[in-house]
Amino acid sequence: MELLFKKIAQLSASLVFVILAATTVVLYLSAKPAIQEFGAGFFFESRWAVEEKVELSPAELSELELLEADKSTFISDDFIEDEDDFIMDDEDFITDDDMESDSNESRIVYGALVPIVGTIFSTLIAMLFSLPIAMGIAVFLSEIAPSALAKPVGVAIELLASIPSIIYGMWGLFYFGPFIADLFGGNTVSLLVAGLVLGIMVIPFMAALSRDAITTVPDMLKESAYAMGATKLEVIKDVVFPYAKSGIIGSIILSFGRALGETMAVAFVIGGVYQFAGKITDPTNSIPVVLANSFAESSGLSLSVLFYLALILFVLSFAVIAIAKLYFLRGK
Amino acid sequence: MKNMMEVKDLTFTYSGASEPSLKSISLPVEKNKVTALIGPSGCGKSTLLRGMNRIHDLYPGHRYEGAINLLNPDEKGYTNILDIKKEAELIRLRQRVGMIFQKPTPFPMTIFENIAYGLRLSGVKKRADLQEVVERSLRDAALWEEAKDRLDHDARGLSGGQQQRLCIARAIALKPEVILFDEPTSALDPISTLAIEEMISVLREQYSICIVTHNMQQAARISDYTGFMYLGEMIEYDQTDTIFMKPSQKQTEDYISGRFG
Ligand SMILES: Nc1ncnc2c1ncn2[C@@H]1O[C@H](COP(=O)(O)OP(=O)(O)OP(=O)(O)O)[C@@H](O)[C@H]1O
Ligand SMILES: [Mg+2]
């Protein structure tokens, strides 16, 4: 019985890694054509689905994908050998490209820079906005409010944290966006509105998790600080926060990850246009929104591009969380 | 000998409780002496101790009646600490009446900062001053030799017994007049317990001490006076020898001989 239990536990634990690995592999394989087509330039290219003339200087030619070479009139004999297996992999790729570009001398350019920048900035705005408020709520609920108040407010916060994000999106589009536009000028959908809606969305989540971390601080520890003549503020600053540090940082990291990958709430309010937000009140785009908006009408290379974008988001979230964990929780 | 502190007819009721947990308690804490409080679990020892630095007041709604007098710093007359209303005066009181808890409670900071903490709170900023006090306090708490090379390490890396001595060092860094100990060795092994007991006998020369203990031998070993409490009442208070050799109350005798509690 015990053995069985142990086996099941082991299995579930390894399942996590299998899923992680499988996701990575699938993303990578699906993104491969786009990676070969655009390479690292994808990160620095701000155009999206824009047709561009291809100048086929011999130097560039060798850098371009073999596929391009295949269709170009300058096909050289040395290429033919490698070409065979290439075509095998990418059959649909070719047909797709045939449909999308009639002329051999032009191709459609995709670049991730706008959604990457949009994602990073909307998340940063969200974190800057939510962090102080969520910490304030967490401290208030756990240290300041009398329990007659802390209990119902705590439950309300947990309820707020479980509202589906699409509802935040709709609220943002119809009420909050116009309100912000009145206040700061600019559009009712913009980077700012997206960041703030995201921020509002993660506040209850971050506050509830941080409160849970703060309530683990033993009463006796706080009392010993009071017994040294500390005030409430000093106890919170010097004892409660440092003691609950890892839990609080965990809540911030989770909220960050949530904001980074949030789709529905942002889709309503960021604008979904492929241009940089010159001002914070301009509309722009974010990676999950691009994905959600474009999957339906994509195939072939344009689909592969979306997978490339998804892979970037995946790596971005992974890197952020890994770095944050390493940096803040080292020595734990 | 002068009393450092005098509890007079103290009745204490927890917020929401119908019955008081302390009923008309009186207890002197003599200067430079160790006063022990013994009694079965739930009799109100911790409740009494926590009234003496008003740590109860962190939570609202508790009620005190009676008086707890603390000798003024100029040794002329007493102030009833139950009259204190202002936050700043409560803070001052807690610096004058230190407290050591049942379990070691190192703050989440370095050993040095743990001990300097109380001084920093009271406004001492000069590194040299802090350093001097940290060293003196650690020496007094018999922790200097073990800790001097790791002052900048997290205090939570010390052993349980070392942590408890750190807490004592932290309390005496403030040069309190009274130190309250609430079962300071109940979470420690026999050797650490002995180290703390030895320390308390030394600390007596400079401080007035009140200690709650469940360990009767401990009370007999280290205290000058002992109070026996039962169900929120002070049954008997006398010199420790008298309490343990020929107590005047039947209940005291029963408790000490292990017949209940
Ligand atoms: N926060 C509280 N609210 C209400 N009643 C309390 C509270 N704390 C303690 N009491 C009650 O007060 C009485 C005395 O408790 P106290 O903790 O002072 O006992 P004690 O002598 O220290 O016991 P122990 O030896 O187990 O530590 C007990 O009956 C207890 O139930
Ligand atoms: Mg107790």
Side-chain angles (χ1 to χ4, degrees), chain B residues 191-216:
Chain B
I191 293 178
S192 306
T193 299
L194 212 64
I196 299 226
E197 286 182 12
E198 272 168 20
M199 204 165 105
I200 290 174
S201 346
V202 176
L203 290 176
R204 167 173 43 196
E205 288 160 21
Q206 297 179 60
Y207 306 94
S208 312
I209 290 168
C210 187
I211 176 170
V212 169
T213 176
H214 267 284
N215 181 333
M216 234 99 58

Side-chain angles (χ1 to χ4, degrees), chain B residues 14-17 21-22 39-48 50 56 62 102 182-183 212 214 229:
Chain B
Y14 278 108
S15 95
S21 292
L22 298 178
S41 189
C43 68
K45 305 178 297 291
S46 300
T47 306
L48 173 58
R50 290 161 65 85
H56 279 308
H62 306 322
Q102 215 161 339
D182 192 350
E183 300 184 45
V212 169
H214 267 284
M229 291 177 70

